[in-house]
Amino acid sequence: MLRFIAMRLVKAAIILIAIVTLNFFLIHAAPGDPAAVMAGEAGAADDIFLEQLREQFGLDKPLLTQLGLYLGGIIQLDLGFSYRQQMPVADLIFDRLPATLLLTMTAFVISLVLGTLAGVLASARVGKWSDTLISTVALLFYATPLYWAALMAVLIFSVQLNWLPGFGYETVGGNYEGLDRVIDIAKHLILPATTLGLFFMAVYMRMTRASMLEVSTLDFVKTARAKGLKPSIIQRRHVFRNALLPVVTLAGLQAGQLVGGAVLTETVFAWPGIGRLMFEALAQRDYNVLLGVFFVSAAMVLLFNLITDILYRVVDPRIRAS
Amino acid sequence: MTDFWKRYQRNRGAVIGLIILLAVVLVAVLAPVLFPQSPWKMVQRPFLPPFAMERFPLGTDTLGRNVLAGLAHGAQVSLLVGLISTLVSLVIGIPIGALAGYFGGWVDDALMRFTEFFQTVPNFALAIVLVAIFEPSVQSIVGAIAIVSWPPVARLVRGEVLSLRSREYVEAAILSGQTNATIIWRQILPNTLSPIIVLASLMVATAILLESSLSFLGLGDPNLMSWGYMIGAARTVIRQAWWLSFFPGLAIVLTVLALNLIGEGLNDALNPRLSRKGK
């Protein structure tokens, strides 16, 4: 297991270096002076700052030396400086990261739990109206743009019904403390996390349903049935456990999508995470922040993949043995 | 062909999807005839609610532009960007998958690591970075969507080629001295067409969602009216004018849903050997 984790960490490091290299070439491929690109919107920075950037990244030196300098900076967690916000990019991102982690993790848990439950339910009632209903709803969620679902949720639950706040991370000027603050944040979290989870709920539901149906035709399930086990026990112990495997794999693969979706959800709900930071950086063409968020979200995905890989090995004894 | 249609129409959802898609295509094609004026032009007072004036059944937006005209012109952009970026993804993904599957060994290893890299990278974030750096335009949007969408194509084609490679007719072709290029192009690829078509129809749907999300964030082509742009522009006035984001969103849902349904129908029609469990 340790060897496996070590191998995966090496692989993750290689991918991260590849992403940094990609970022580096993107800065150089962009139209205009790389120093101006790094400084943000052309013309926004003064000459002294541009000169400083040229010096720091050796922009008059050969491309490979420049790449070395750039990589060296990233290894020391220096993601550059946001001229627009007058702050190091790394600080900007790490300030916002907890909010995004809270949002994506909650959305992930909601979608995984509700998605698999709905999938199991639908597979148990194949062809009946409840299966049709669940499958149709999943199909609809699958086709709905995240940001539109978010806007409609604000319109219905926040503007019309006034049940939940549709804006921000906590009540401005609320000054809640302790448990009250947790409840306040939780209230603000419900709409963004649910809308972010809708699409993934549909994905997991479809996967679970298909997987349950497939596993239930396998020989060992027939054996269990022939032994006279109760159908509910067969479903839970034999079918569900095995049907879960492809869902876990899929969940790992979907991590990147979740981070991407956070950009849209956080934009609509003014959620103060790195997705919202990315949206703000877009308007200002603050490329250092954009590339920094891209890098950190890739790192998040790699971490997430590692966790699901480990989970997979825990769930499936066959892989552990091999 | 008749067999194909017979199997396709057995899937009721797929028929409904086809009808919806045809309607959207019709609107897109007729947009310049139905709404000859530019959709950017101010035609009435701003914030005209829907169903208030007969000439503007869906009302007007924050700048007094006709929402219905925007929807019709937006249909063109969505369909075109969806279609072209899918074609570009196929052009990238098919050769990579075919080479990896056919040659195996280190070629396969190298190409698959490359593919894996693009699959691991958070693809919407990459698309945002690409479009922002190369400035929003139809070309940069199509390019960005294609770059983040090709990996599944490559993996699918690789898998198919891998299983076809050891078939007898391919071995016969090798023995008869055909070149590798001919074997891949004439013998193997035609047989991988069905799953590629099914995947492509689903990819058009995803591409439309991606394009609309980029436009929503302000990364659309500034010269083209698109559904995502309309919703993005209406985001801050959602409390005053629900219809400005509601109708374009509905158009996206219907189009994407139609394409997904068509994808399922194509799967039934093109892969009849797969059992349709639970349907």
Side-chain angles (χ1 to χ4, degrees), chain B residues 16 28 50 64 77 117 121 132 154-155 178 210 213:
Chain B
I16 297 173
V77 176
F117 171 73
V121 165
R155 297 186 76 105
Q178 292 185 14
L210 266 172
S213 305

Short mmCIF file of all heavy atoms in Angstrom, two decimals, chain B residues 16 28 50 64 77 117 121 132 154-155 178 210 213:
data_model
loop_
_atom_site.label_atom_id
_atom_site.label_comp_id
_atom_site.label_asym_id
_atom_site.label_seq_id
_atom_site.Cartn_x
_atom_site.Cartn_y
_atom_site.Cartn_z
N ILE B 16 -38.56 11.89 -29.74
CA ILE B 16 -38.87 13.23 -29.22
C ILE B 16 -37.64 14.12 -29.33
O ILE B 16 -37.73 15.28 -29.76
CB ILE B 16 -39.33 13.12 -27.73
CG1 ILE B 16 -40.62 12.31 -27.65
CG2 ILE B 16 -39.53 14.51 -27.13
CD1 ILE B 16 -41.07 12.00 -26.24
N ALA B 28 -32.64 28.10 -35.99
CA ALA B 28 -31.30 28.64 -36.24
C ALA B 28 -31.15 29.03 -37.71
O ALA B 28 -30.63 30.10 -38.03
CB ALA B 28 -30.24 27.61 -35.85
N PRO B 50 -42.43 39.54 -20.63
CA PRO B 50 -42.92 38.69 -21.71
C PRO B 50 -44.44 38.76 -21.82
O PRO B 50 -45.13 39.08 -20.85
CB PRO B 50 -42.46 37.29 -21.31
CG PRO B 50 -42.19 37.37 -19.86
CD PRO B 50 -41.83 38.78 -19.55
N GLY B 64 -33.22 46.88 -23.86
CA GLY B 64 -34.32 46.99 -24.80
C GLY B 64 -34.16 46.15 -26.05
O GLY B 64 -34.74 46.45 -27.09
N VAL B 77 -25.28 30.01 -32.93
CA VAL B 77 -23.97 29.93 -32.28
C VAL B 77 -23.82 28.61 -31.53
O VAL B 77 -22.83 27.89 -31.68
CB VAL B 77 -23.78 31.11 -31.31
CG1 VAL B 77 -22.47 30.99 -30.56
CG2 VAL B 77 -23.84 32.41 -32.07
N PHE B 117 -3.06 12.89 -19.10
CA PHE B 117 -2.76 14.23 -18.60
C PHE B 117 -3.95 15.15 -18.85
O PHE B 117 -4.43 15.85 -17.96
CB PHE B 117 -1.50 14.78 -19.26
CG PHE B 117 -1.25 16.23 -18.96
CD1 PHE B 117 -0.81 16.62 -17.71
CD2 PHE B 117 -1.46 17.20 -19.92
CE1 PHE B 117 -0.59 17.96 -17.42
CE2 PHE B 117 -1.25 18.54 -19.65
CZ PHE B 117 -0.81 18.91 -18.38
N VAL B 121 -6.43 16.99 -15.88
CA VAL B 121 -6.51 18.43 -15.73
C VAL B 121 -7.98 18.86 -15.67
O VAL B 121 -8.79 18.39 -16.45
CB VAL B 121 -5.83 19.08 -16.95
CG1 VAL B 121 -6.19 20.53 -17.05
CG2 VAL B 121 -4.34 18.91 -16.87
N ALA B 132 -9.32 32.88 -22.18
CA ALA B 132 -8.92 34.19 -21.65
C ALA B 132 -7.60 34.63 -22.25
O ALA B 132 -7.43 35.79 -22.64
CB ALA B 132 -8.82 34.13 -20.12
N ALA B 154 -10.14 9.45 -27.88
CA ALA B 154 -8.90 8.68 -28.03
C ALA B 154 -9.00 7.35 -27.30
O ALA B 154 -8.62 6.30 -27.83
CB ALA B 154 -7.72 9.49 -27.51
N ARG B 155 -9.54 7.37 -26.09
CA ARG B 155 -9.63 6.13 -25.31
C ARG B 155 -10.58 5.14 -25.95
O ARG B 155 -10.30 3.94 -26.00
CB ARG B 155 -10.07 6.44 -23.88
CG ARG B 155 -9.09 7.30 -23.14
CD ARG B 155 -9.53 7.44 -21.71
NE ARG B 155 -9.25 6.23 -20.98
CZ ARG B 155 -8.24 6.12 -20.11
NH1 ARG B 155 -7.46 7.14 -19.88
NH2 ARG B 155 -8.02 4.99 -19.49
N GLN B 178 -0.63 -4.97 -47.18
CA GLN B 178 -1.14 -3.60 -47.13
C GLN B 178 -0.33 -2.79 -46.11
O GLN B 178 0.16 -3.33 -45.13
CB GLN B 178 -2.61 -3.60 -46.73
CG GLN B 178 -3.50 -4.20 -47.78
CD GLN B 178 -4.98 -4.09 -47.40
OE1 GLN B 178 -5.34 -3.35 -46.51
NE2 GLN B 178 -5.80 -4.84 -48.11
N LEU B 210 -20.61 23.61 -22.48
CA LEU B 210 -19.34 24.29 -22.23
C LEU B 210 -19.34 25.69 -22.83
O LEU B 210 -18.95 26.67 -22.19
CB LEU B 210 -18.18 23.49 -22.83
CG LEU B 210 -17.46 22.52 -21.93
CD1 LEU B 210 -16.48 21.67 -22.72
CD2 LEU B 210 -16.70 23.27 -20.84
N SER B 213 -21.44 27.98 -20.84
CA SER B 213 -20.82 28.32 -19.56
C SER B 213 -19.74 29.38 -19.75
O SER B 213 -19.61 30.31 -18.95
CB SER B 213 -20.21 27.09 -18.90
OG SER B 213 -21.17 26.08 -18.77
#
